[in-house]
Amino acid sequence: MKRGFFLTFEGLDGSGKSTQLRRLAAHLRNSGRPVREMRQPGGTGFGDKVRALLLAEKGQTAIAPRAELAMMFADRAQAIAEVIEPALEAGELLLCDRWTDSTEAYQGGGRALGAEVVHRLHAEVCGGLQPNLTVLLLPPLEVSLQRARRRNERVQAQTGRDESRFEAESEAFFRRSYAQYEAIAAREAVRVVVMKEDEPVELIHARIVRVVEDRLAGWTRPELQ
Ligand code: TMP
């Protein structure tokens, strides 16, 4: 059986990636291709607990940068064992909101741990598993920051939940994360497709559909072969 297709969305908080992932999943389903959706951190019972710890309100849980790094990989190892490897093995089309590029951007860049340690852990813990395609949304930093803060206030007002540990980081933190995303895009120009424009959701969606359809053309669902 042909191996599945692994597609990830990346970007800073407020970049619009989760909205775009949902739109793309709907488009793919409407055109008859079932997709499975995942997110990181989270997506498994264990991962959801890790997510709650990682994103807890700033000050609630003190987490050292290397502990944070290790937790991201613990979450990912569980996701691979429980969801990702079985899905790819079964030939599925898998959409994941964030992957190791996020760790390189946030822990490698933002927390200044460097990309090297992230690459080493990725090789050891994840067997180097990389997506077939990554859509990186990288609108100007100020746009993402503003959107993320507004959304956090809204979610907090509506649900009382506060997942602001990262949103509360300094602008310098996000500047370093942004720069690391740019470095990833420059290094992996084939796997990573970058969208830097701050454009309406519909326009970006249409561009993502074109790129994804193009890449999927070389990958057909096994039952159709
Ligand atoms: P989300 O809001 O896109 O679900 O992401 C949750 C937060 O976790 C976001 O601020 C980025 C952060 N994060 C990391 O710092 N490193 C990682 O490896 C991942 C997957 C997420």
Side-chain angles (χ1 to χ4, degrees), residues 40-52 54 74-75 78-79 82:
Q40 295 258 280
T44 63
F46 171 82
D48 289 339
K49 292 198 172 106
V50 173
R51 182 183 180 90
L54 278 167
D75 168 58
Q78 187 69 24
E82 215 176 299

Side-chain angles (χ1 to χ4, degrees), residues 12 138-146 171 174-176 178:
L12 292 183
L138 214 52
L141 180 62
E142 299 65 33
V143 174
S144 292
L145 288 181
Q146 241 187 32
E171 199 175 312
F174 286 109
R175 211 165 278 290
R176 288 193 297 272
Y178 190 97

Side-chain angles (χ1 to χ4, degrees), residues 13 17 40-41 51 55 72 76 97-99 102-103 106-107 166:
D13 307 75
K17 68 177 170 44
Q40 295 258 280
R51 182 183 180 90
L55 304 189
M72 296 299 176
R76 201 158 294 135
D97 194 334
R98 299 192 179 282
W99 190 244
S102 283
T103 318
Y106 282 78
Q107 281 67 48
F166 283 94

Side-chain angles (χ1 to χ4, degrees), residues 9-15 17-18 39-42 51 54-55 68-69 71-73 75-76 97-108 111 118 151 163-167 169 173-174 177 181:
F9 274 73
E10 289 284 350
L12 292 183
D13 307 75
S15 61
K17 68 177 170 44
S18 306
R39 71 169 172 179
Q40 295 258 280
R51 182 183 180 90
L54 278 167
L55 304 189
E68 187 180 87
L69 174 70
M71 286 170 79
M72 296 299 176
F73 277 106
D75 168 58
R76 201 158 294 135
D97 194 334
R98 299 192 179 282
W99 190 244
T100 298
D101 294 327
S102 283
T103 318
E104 184 176 336
Y106 282 78
Q107 281 67 48
R111 299 272 186 242
V118 177
R151 183 191 53 201
E163 289 196 335
S164 67
R165 227 177 58 97
F166 283 94
E167 266 102 344
E169 284 301 331
F173 172 91
F174 286 109
S177 306
Y181 267 135

Side-chain angles (χ1 to χ4, degrees), residues 6-72:
F6 185 23
L7 198 166
T8 58
F9 274 73
E10 289 284 350
L12 292 183
D13 307 75
S15 61
K17 68 177 170 44
S18 306
T19 305
Q20 291 296 345
L21 186 150
R22 280 195 301 275
R23 297 289 273 263
L24 179 69
H27 162 85
L28 292 169
R29 287 195 182 104
N30 288 340
S31 55
R33 284 162 294 191
V35 296
R36 188 193 284 252
E37 289 175 59
M38 257 296 282
R39 71 169 172 179
Q40 295 258 280
T44 63
F46 171 82
D48 289 339
K49 292 198 172 106
V50 173
R51 182 183 180 90
L53 262 178
L54 278 167
L55 304 189
E57 190 175 351
K58 195 174 172 70
Q60 217 176 63
T61 318
I63 305 177
R66 281 188 170 71
E68 187 180 87
L69 174 70
M71 286 170 79
M72 296 299 176

